[in-house]
């Protein structure tokens, strides 16, 4: 376990890594506490864009993780920061939940049905009307962004369609592919480094998906650890090209805790 001792910042995916629905996975809370007691920094980074940062703060507090607002990052946050930095003042049509709409409006992003940009997210309130409006805008020339490329989301009752599936629907209808901002895109690492001052070689990413969490680490110089409590299986990892395989694999975070003596 010496590789853990060498790292200063630990980035955790949430769904499928720390919890499934409202069920906290074994030893997840204990592992976070152990890292903090050892003087390590923690970031909770989810591709799930159904909620705003304040909502994730409440959720993680309720589940026992004792987070601070500065420790929480979502693909919705990363997309919003890009919009405010690179597209400030542009109108956005958001294919997202009411919670994400509220979060974007509070940040100062102008939401409108007659927009310059379409942003699709993990929308559990998706309707045909929303998809039709988004397609019409994209056909007309609106830029097409998506918060993240995950095609399905693990829950305590199984998998449900995620942002990538919704973006694929819009792409199939319009012939236009979006720019994705969540994992594995490295934009979030610039935000994390700016907040913490910690370089990528001192970071470690824990996640359950190969094409997002693990690729986020492998593509951006961050140690990548796969846990088998969500989407990916050991067979999936073995089938990856050597350069894309996780640096380490654990069945669960509980095994990590045991190896650390937690």
């Amino acid at each position: 376990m010496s590789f853990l001792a060498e790292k200063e910042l630990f980035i955790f995916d949430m769904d499928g890594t720390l919890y499934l629905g409202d069920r906290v996975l074994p030893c997840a809370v204990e592992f976070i506490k152990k890292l903090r007691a050892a003087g390590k920094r923690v970031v909770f980074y989810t591709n799930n864009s159904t909620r705003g940062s304040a909502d994730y703060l409440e959720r993680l507090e309720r589940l026992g993780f004792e987070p601070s607002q500065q420790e929480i990052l979502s693909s919705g946050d990363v997309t919003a920061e890009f919009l405010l930095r690179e597209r400030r003042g542009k109108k956005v049509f958001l294919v997202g939940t009411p919670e994400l709409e509220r979060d974007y409006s509070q940040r100062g992003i102008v939401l409108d049905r007659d927009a310059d940009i379409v942003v699709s997210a993990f929308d559990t309130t998706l309707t045909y009307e929303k998809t039709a409006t988004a397609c019409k805008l994209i056909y007309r020339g609106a830029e097409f962004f998506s918060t993240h490329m995950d095609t399905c989301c693990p829950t305590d009752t199984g998998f449900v369609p995620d942002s990538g599936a919704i973006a694929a629907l819009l792409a199939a209808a319009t012939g236009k592919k979006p720019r994705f901002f969540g994992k594995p895109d490295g934009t979030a690492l610039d935000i994390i480094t700016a907040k913490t001052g910690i370089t990528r070689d001192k970071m470690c990413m824990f996640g359950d998906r190969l094409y997002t969490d693990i690729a986020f680490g492998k593509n951006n110089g961050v140690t990548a650890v796969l846990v088998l409590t969500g989407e990916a299986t050991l067979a999936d990892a073995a089938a990856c090209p050597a350069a894309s395989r996780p640096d380490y694999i654990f069945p669960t975070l509980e095994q990590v805790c045991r190896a650390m003596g937690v």
Side-chain angles (χ1 to χ4, degrees):
M1 302 298 293
S2 60
F3 80 98
L4 291 176
E6 297 168 356
K7 303 302 178 181
E8 297 177 8
L9 186 144
F10 291 77
I11 306 169
F12 288 91
D13 172 59
M14 297 188 210
D15 297 297
T17 301
L18 297 177
Y19 54 73
L20 288 170
D22 282 329
R23 179 169 64 89
V24 178
L25 291 169
C27 211
V29 170
E30 291 83 353
F31 186 33
I32 299 294
K33 288 181 178 178
K34 179 72 173 180
L35 291 173
R36 287 181 171 140
K40 308 296 186 180
R41 302 283 295 276
V42 172
V43 169
F44 302 95
Y45 178 28
T46 180
N47 266 5
N48 190 325
S49 55
T50 55
R51 300 176 176 87
S53 295
D55 298 301
Y56 276 115
L57 178 66
E58 184 278 330
R59 181 181 180 85
L60 288 167
E61 286 176 339
R62 177 166 48 83
L63 294 178
F65 290 97
E66 301 178 356
S68 70
Q69 191 70 69
Q70 289 299 309
E71 292 176 328
I72 299 171
L73 189 66
S74 75
S75 64
D77 295 328
V78 177
T79 308
E81 293 209 18
F82 172 86
L83 292 172
L84 290 170
R85 185 179 66 249
E86 303 292 341
R87 301 292 189 274
R88 182 172 288 276
K90 295 285 188 179
K91 293 184 291 184
V92 173
F93 180 71
L94 179 62
V95 182
T97 61
E99 292 86 354
L100 192 64
E101 289 179 350
R102 181 177 66 250
D103 181 75
Y104 273 35
S105 293
Q106 289 173 347
R107 293 171 185 262
I109 295 171
V110 180
L111 302 182
D112 199 297
R113 295 179 63 84
D114 182 20
D116 309 294
I117 298 167
V118 170
V119 174
S120 69
F122 181 8
D123 187 3
T124 55
T125 61
L126 184 67
T127 63
Y128 187 84
E129 181 185 6
K130 284 186 186 180
T131 60
T133 300
C135 287
K136 290 173 184 176
L137 292 171
I138 294 168
Y139 272 126
R140 198 177 69 185
E143 288 188 279
F144 181 18
F145 299 142
S146 176
T147 57
H148 60 291
M149 63 170 54
D150 302 47
T151 55
C152 59
C153 179
T155 73
D156 52 357
T157 57
F159 291 96
V160 297
D162 204 325
S163 171
I166 294 170
L169 184 158
L170 299 178
T174 62
K176 301 292 179 63
K177 294 182 179 180
R179 172 178 172 178
F180 293 100
F181 284 94
K183 295 170 287 186
D185 181 75
T187 303
L189 285 169
D190 296 330
I191 297 172
I192 293 170
T193 298
K195 286 182 176 180
T196 66
I198 297 173
T199 57
R200 299 183 185 194
D201 60 308
K202 295 296 184 181
M203 298 180 187
C204 184
M205 175 75 212
F206 278 82
D208 70 299
R209 293 174 187 262
L210 292 165
Y211 65 95
T212 56
D213 303 321
I214 302 308
F216 176 72
K218 300 295 289 185
N219 295 348
N220 297 290
V222 173
T223 298
V225 181
L226 177 70
V227 289
L228 304 177
T229 48
E231 179 178 307
T233 65
L234 194 60
D236 293 332
C240 283
S244 301
R245 288 175 192 156
D247 296 301
Y248 302 92
I249 301 175
F250 289 91
T252 68
L253 286 179
E254 190 170 15
Q255 272 68 34
V256 183
C257 289
R258 288 175 183 173
M260 293 178 68
V262 177

